[in-house]
Amino acid sequence: MPCNNNNFEFIIKKNDTNPPLRYKIFDCDSNPVDLEGDFLVEASMWSNAKIKKDIDDAQQDISFADNVGFETASIGSNLLLKTSNRYELMTVEDVDDINKIIYAQRAQLNSVASVWKKGSPIKIIKFLNFPATKELEYSDGIDINGEKTTSLSGSYLVYNWNGLDTSTPGEYFFEFKLTKFNTESGTVEWSRKYPSEKEGITVKITDENLEV
């Protein structure tokens, strides 16, 4: 993960709700995506960690390697471990701040408790598929006939924070999911994640005062 504020794409102070996170999106021709129509915009945020030592399929206490990610976990957080052929979802029930130990309820939402090896990657999910919005910007111009025109100049996916979203300082990844529906049939035409070329938008929630 980035080691200083300059490397984060978005920084917000703990418990703040402004500014919203706005992400500009383009089509394959580098033009703004046409977001007119029936769209669903969702947002997810998580942090990454690794298991400090092996855990069996009944163990409830979990530690993270070098305590990386510990500060982002709180009671009620979901933990996700997965490989190409299995996964397990856990829910944090308690946090030992002194010994840096997480206590989790295993095998949530029909997942199966498994044995996980030291160093296995784990996602600490802050929120998953929360409602987000879209914004369109238009610009006025003049065509070759001298007539006034209006064209789409910017398309944004926007997430408005609430206080719980930013309650735990730390380093996160953020992702938008955009789903296009067929207005007549109500079926899904396509669904895409943004950003698509990397794991997510890098976000830092900080206790520090931000420079204006």
Side-chain angles (χ1 to χ4, degrees), residues 26 39 54 56 74 95-96 106 117 123-124 143 154-155 175 186 194 196 208:
F26 302 89
F39 285 90
D54 295 353
D56 61 33
S74 58
V95 177
D96 182 344
R106 305 287 299 273
K117 296 294 186 180
K123 289 186 183 297
I124 307 158
D143 64 18
S155 298
E175 178 183 82
Y194 293 91
S196 60
E208 303 171 0

Side-chain angles (χ1 to χ4, degrees), residues 103-172:
Y103 294 91
Q105 181 68 40
R106 305 287 299 273
Q108 299 294 286
L109 294 181
N110 299 317
S111 63
V112 178
S114 300
V115 174
W116 298 97
K117 296 294 186 180
K118 172 184 176 181
S120 295
I122 183 169
K123 289 186 183 297
I124 307 158
I125 301 172
K126 186 65 178 177
F127 53 82
L128 185 66
N129 296 334
F130 273 22
T133 61
K134 59 180 180 175
E135 288 183 4
L136 300 177
E137 288 183 348
Y138 294 90
S139 298
D140 293 331
I142 303 295
D143 64 18
I144 58 175
N145 298 316
E147 299 292 331
K148 183 177 179 180
T149 61
T150 300
S151 60
L152 180 65
S153 57
S155 298
Y156 297 86
L157 305 179
V158 182
Y159 184 71
N160 294 298
W161 306 95
N162 65 60
L164 291 178
D165 295 337
T166 59
S167 61
T168 47
E171 303 174 5
Y172 297 87

Side-chain angles (χ1 to χ4, degrees), residues 5 11-14 16 169 204-212:
N5 285 353
I11 304 173
I12 189 168
K13 199 169 187 306
K14 176 183 176 182
D16 276 1
K204 183 172 184 178
I205 299 173
T206 180
D207 277 327
E208 303 171 0
N209 291 324
L210 301 178
E211 296 182 2
V212 178

Side-chain angles (χ1 to χ4, degrees), residues 77-93:
S77 295
N78 289 318
L79 311 177
L80 177 65
L81 296 107
K82 66 177 182 178
T83 65
S84 59
N85 56 14
R86 63 189 173 102
Y87 78 96
E88 183 180 355
L89 186 68
M90 311 177 189
T91 301
V92 176
E93 291 189 318

